[in-house]
Amino acid sequence: MNILVIADAQRYDELQQRDFSRHQVQWRTSLEEVLSVKAFDLVIDLIFDDRPDHAAVYARNPGVPVLAGIVKTSLSQVMSDYAFEQGFNIMGCNFLPGFISLPLLEVTLMDDGQQEVLADIMHQLSWEYTLVADATGMVTPRVVCMIINEAYLTAQEGTASRADIDTSMKLGTNYPFGPFEWCERIGVKHVYEVLKAVHDATGDDRYEVAALLQTEYEAI
């Protein structure tokens, strides 16, 4: 396949841990640099969460499937915000930093009609994936970011140091990373924005951002 990747350098580097040897890949840091999306068989947009306006371009090119990083909103919200009169071609993926190179990709679809297209794409890419419901935060990002938030609450109370919290979580739960290690991999900005988006969408107090985490976000 001829694949267009829209990504910042960090996420593109992580994406390259996957095997693209059987495909042609063009990397751009901005969709504005691309003359025509129609020249590609597939678009992988790792920064869609930060540039949802890209949807307007994809809506004008319904024949090109798009794997888009959509964790801070939902596919239904994207469809509501932009006119997809000729067909909805976006599939939401967990493309947060730290998750891109993991063996199993979390994907959400707008309707069952996209399943065949997705299965064909994933077969050609040789990627393993799992389908989850269309909801802000998806599944794994919600859980991981909520754990990170709880760790920040514990740290701001002075109950334990960050290193001790990471160690205890790894020993007690057999997690590969502690919550602050996860936060470093994902980035404070993304953790904060996922938590805020989920809290705004659900009103669930479990996702209310810890004061210490908000302070670090504001200092970026």
Side-chain angles (χ1 to χ4, degrees), residues 15-23 124-127:
L15 182 69
Q16 287 184 294
Q17 296 179 40
R18 293 182 176 273
D19 181 14
F20 286 96
S21 59
R22 295 186 295 112
H23 307 283
Q124 292 189 63
L125 292 172
S126 298
W127 290 8

Side-chain angles (χ1 to χ4, degrees), residues 19-163:
D19 181 14
F20 286 96
S21 59
R22 295 186 295 112
H23 307 283
Q24 293 179 309
V25 177
Q26 292 190 40
W27 169 41
R28 297 291 184 270
T29 57
S30 170
L31 190 57
E32 286 79 4
E33 300 173 29
V34 181
L35 295 178
S36 175
V37 171
K38 291 179 181 178
F40 300 91
D41 302 308
L42 172 68
V43 176
I44 300 177
D45 189 337
L46 302 183
I47 61 172
F48 186 91
D49 259 333
D50 303 316
R51 291 295 308 274
D53 56 298
H54 287 179
V57 176
Y58 302 141
R60 294 194 297 270
N61 297 273
V64 182
V66 179
L67 298 179
I70 300 181
V71 178
K72 301 171 189 176
T73 184
S74 64
L75 284 176
S76 55
Q77 187 62 54
V78 171
M79 188 172 73
S80 174
D81 291 343
Y82 296 88
F84 286 84
E85 298 172 352
Q86 301 178 60
F88 193 77
N89 56 339
I90 300 177
M91 291 157 276
C93 303
N94 177 13
F95 284 148
L96 289 174
F99 293 94
I100 296 168
S101 61
L102 294 183
L104 190 66
L105 180 66
E106 202 167 288
V107 184
T108 185
L109 303 178
M110 193 66 246
D111 56 54
D112 292 342
Q114 291 181 307
Q115 289 194 24
E116 186 175 344
V117 174
L118 176 66
D120 180 62
I121 290 170
M122 293 303 181
H123 175 72
Q124 292 189 63
L125 292 172
S126 298
W127 290 8
E128 296 294 327
Y129 69 99
T130 184
L131 290 176
V132 299
D134 177 35
T136 301
M138 303 186 84
V139 176
T140 306
R142 276 195 186 203
V143 173
V144 171
C145 289
M146 185 169 62
I147 291 171
I148 292 170
N149 199 45
E150 290 290 336
Y152 268 91
L153 288 170
T154 301
Q156 75 185 29
E157 291 168 357
T159 307
S161 69
R162 298 187 184 208

